[in-house]
Amino acid sequence: IGPYRGNGALLAKQLATVDAIAGGRLSVGIAVGGRPDDYQATGSSFTERGRAFDAQLAEMRAVWEQQPRGHAGAIGPAPVQPGGPPLLIGGTAPAAFRRMTEFGTGWIMGGGGPQAFADGAGKARQAWREAGRAGAPRLVSIAYASLGDDAEAHAQSYLSDYYSFIGEYAGQIAAGALTSPQKVAGAVAAFTEAGCDELILFPCNPDTAQVALIAQAAGL
């Protein structure tokens, strides 16, 4: 979530530093977010987050172009990747797709099934074409997974708590978690069919053994 992480110059420097350490392997999923308590906790304006995000993205681009800022000149290390780390813009509002075409290399869906992804991907492709961008946007999604003992209980506990701010819909998100190897394999196939370039399988259980279980179920 970008807007509550301070100004664009600082965030750009932090991301460029991580990218330099990683040898140019960093991709950044970034969005405005939808949790008011995130903004309350950081003393940031929830209602002004869209405007703040636009300014932040523009400043990040300027910093990565090494435009001088004050007596010391450019801020932070020069980006390893041309133009800076690629930005995957999240969100489903029209403004999110507009930001993707202005500042991003693609779109990321924060959660939901293959059909929701296909709908959002279609909007991303259309916005990309209408903006005259060359090629195609990179399309990425997150899917929640929980395997092994008490898989459904872990998914229900984690997702119902995290998404409690949206009310009853939190239960639907929890019910959609991938809680068996068959569901993981099916989701990988369905997201691939929907045009997903990269699917991030997000564990709902903090046990590190989940990494191996999910990777095996996904055929990795």
Side-chain angles (χ1 to χ4, degrees):
I1 307 302
Y4 63 63
R5 296 181 184 275
N7 60 72
L10 177 60
L11 182 57
K13 178 180 179 180
Q14 292 169 335
L15 292 173
T17 302
V18 172
D19 195 40
I21 294 170
R25 293 183 292 116
L26 179 66
S27 294
V28 182
I30 192 166
V32 297
R35 296 184 63 112
D37 50 352
D38 282 340
Y39 285 82
Q40 180 181 4
T42 56
S44 308
S45 172
F46 182 75
T47 57
E48 295 293 323
R49 68 193 190 283
R51 186 178 302 174
F53 193 37
D54 284 332
Q56 187 178 51
L57 290 170
E59 179 64 7
M60 289 166 64
R61 170 181 285 175
V63 169
W64 289 336
E65 290 175 350
Q66 296 287 277
Q67 295 182 15
R69 292 291 186 271
H71 177 75
I75 296 173
V80 177
Q81 303 176 74
L87 300 179
L88 302 169
I89 306 295
T92 56
F97 296 109
R98 187 258 304 161
R99 293 178 184 117
M100 177 198 70
T101 64
E102 290 183 10
F103 301 103
T105 59
W107 174 72
I108 183 168
M109 185 176 76
Q115 186 57 56
F117 172 81
D119 293 343
K123 294 177 181 178
R125 294 189 190 99
Q126 180 179 355
W128 196 265
R129 290 192 301 268
E130 292 177 351
R133 293 286 301 268
R138 182 165 180 79
L139 301 171
V140 180
S141 183
I142 291 173
Y144 293 108
S146 177
L147 300 180
D149 296 338
D150 301 317
E152 293 185 3
H154 280 291
Q156 181 70 30
S157 174
Y158 171 69
L159 294 171
S160 295
D161 177 67
Y162 183 78
Y163 285 104
S164 61
F165 73 100
I166 58 176
E168 295 182 0
Y169 187 63
Q172 297 182 41
I173 295 175
L178 310 174
T179 53
S180 72
Q182 294 78 16
K183 288 182 179 180
V184 171
V188 170
F191 274 98
T192 301
E193 179 67 22
C196 186
D197 295 310
E198 180 180 359
L199 180 63
I200 300 169
L201 295 166
F202 191 105
C204 299
N205 181 342
D207 186 348
T208 56
Q210 289 290 305
V211 175
L213 289 172
I214 294 171
Q216 182 178 16
L220 301 176

